[in-house]
Each structure stands twice: as structure tokens, then as C-alpha cells.
Amino acid sequence: MTKFIIQSGKYKGKTLKLPERNITIGRELDCDVRVSDPDVSRKHCELQSRDGQLFVVDLESQNGTFVNDKRVQTECLLHPGDHLRIGPMLFELVGSKKTIPKPANLSPDKSAPLSDDEISTWLSEEADETEVNSGDTTIIHSSQLPPQDNATVKPAVKAYRAKKEFHSVAEEAAEIIKQHWERVAREQQEKQ
């Protein structure tokens, strides 16, 4: 399944999951992905899945389709991490990072020495093959927070900050939001 992370607009950070078939993007109602902006053509571009690879094809859009800030003339092969811009919308293709093939002369039956460039390229290959999932959102409503009295809140928060190690950005964000609503609750209690 093709996934893009939306990098702009009100849905920034959300993941857009697309089925493995041709997807049209544009302003018209019959497009699979609708972007209602005057800078986007009625039928702007198409994502095509061929032989396990993803291509973007510009459908003669007026303002163009861009991959990594380069205008797509006819079609362009997309790789994980590439940025696709359609009008004001920016999308990043999610997936496993590209792996650099090991030099062919590493096999035991070839005795040619490796060049420094080949060794450097092979050793600098990214080992991280995990997918990015930056579309997770944690929402904590003020109604979920327990009422606290003013004497115990401030020391507890300070001690918590000193000891807490976060395992993800989402966990740290949730803690920041929680502390914000605790402060808002304290300020409302002080006003009463």
C-alpha cells in the first residue's frame, strides 16, 4: 500500500494511504484525491503503480507537478523520501529507504580489489528499513485530567520533568499537552 505523509495544509503530519492502482489527483469530483485549490488542474496528475514501482505522470497540468522541486515533464519514478508537490500541497512518499547494492566484486569468486569509493558507498548504506509513521496524534482533553490541589502540583511536575525520559516524540507531546491543561485548570481554580 502506497503511503504519503502530508507536509502542508491543515492535514500536515497525517498519513494518506492509497490503494495499489492508478490514482488521479485534481480538482474534479471524479478524481481519487481531490485538492480544491485554483492552482490545481481539474485532472492534475496520476500516480501509477507498475512492476512494484510508483510513477507520477503529469496530465498536462497548467501549473505543473513537481518531485523534489523539479518539474515533471511527462513522468517520474518516485522513491521513498521523495517530495511530491501538487499546487500548494506537499506530500512525502513513505517506505523503506533505498538500499545501495553491494559491489559485485564482493563475491568470493571475483578477485578484483575494491575501490575506496565502492567500500565507502557500501559501508554508508542505511541499515534502517523501518517505515515512518508520523501521522499518529495523541489528544488529551481537559476532562480527562484529574483535579489537583495547588500545593502538590508544582513540586510533582518539577520532579517528573527531571526523571522522565521520553521514548517518542508523541509521548513527549502528550506530556506537554497534559502539563498545559493542568496549568489551565490551576489558573481557573485560582480565579475562583
Side-chain angles (χ1 to χ4, degrees):
M1 179 174 282
T2 303
K3 295 180 186 177
F4 284 94
I5 296 176
I6 301 171
Q7 298 291 326
S8 63
K10 68 179 181 180
Y11 297 108
K12 183 177 180 175
K14 299 291 183 186
T15 302
L16 178 65
K17 298 176 186 177
L18 302 174
E20 297 296 327
R21 62 175 174 81
N22 290 354
I23 304 291
T24 56
I25 302 174
R27 281 192 341 248
E28 281 196 353
L29 292 174
D30 63 342
C31 289
D32 298 301
V33 177
R34 289 192 54 227
V35 180
S36 56
D37 187 278
D39 290 337
V40 177
S41 297
R42 288 184 193 112
K43 291 207 186 249
H44 197 94
C45 64
E46 184 174 60
L47 297 173
Q48 298 178 355
S49 183
R50 290 185 254 146
D51 300 323
Q53 295 182 314
L54 184 65
F55 293 85
V56 62
V57 178
D58 185 71
L59 300 176
E60 299 178 8
S61 64
Q62 185 170 354
N63 294 318
T65 303
F66 295 83
V67 174
N68 299 327
D69 292 325
K70 292 182 185 173
R71 189 173 184 142
V72 174
Q73 297 303 320
T74 52
E75 71 176 32
C76 179
L77 175 63
L78 293 172
H79 300 284
D82 282 350
H83 288 94
L84 173 64
R85 185 165 51 85
I86 302 161
M89 295 300 297
L90 183 65
F91 305 91
E92 180 180 344
L93 182 61
V94 176
S96 300
K97 296 189 189 302
K98 293 184 283 187
T99 57
I100 301 167
K102 293 182 176 85
N105 55 355
L106 273 183
S107 59
D109 58 338
K110 300 202 177 182
S111 58
L114 293 172
S115 72
D116 290 342
D117 288 340
E118 289 173 318
I119 293 171
S120 174
T121 301
W122 180 60
L123 291 175
S124 66
E125 176 181 339
E126 299 238 9
D128 184 14
E129 295 288 325
T130 59
E131 287 190 1
V132 177
N133 188 6
S134 65
D136 294 339
T137 304
T138 303
I139 299 173
I140 301 174
H141 297 282
S142 59
S143 62
Q144 294 173 315
L145 298 173
Q148 307 239 341
D149 86 36
N150 292 339
T152 60
V153 173
K154 291 181 183 177
V157 170
K158 288 179 184 176
Y160 186 77
R161 285 184 190 160
K163 295 179 185 177
K164 181 67 177 168
E165 285 188 4
F166 300 104
H167 300 289
S168 70
V169 174
E171 185 178 305
E172 185 176 3
E175 179 60 27
I176 291 168
I177 292 167
K178 178 182 168 194
Q179 290 175 6
H180 167 75
W181 286 114
E182 287 174 346
R183 191 188 70 212
V184 168
R186 278 194 313 272
E187 290 172 358
Q188 286 177 351
Q189 285 179 350
E190 290 172 2
K191 288 180 182 179
Q192 295 174 355

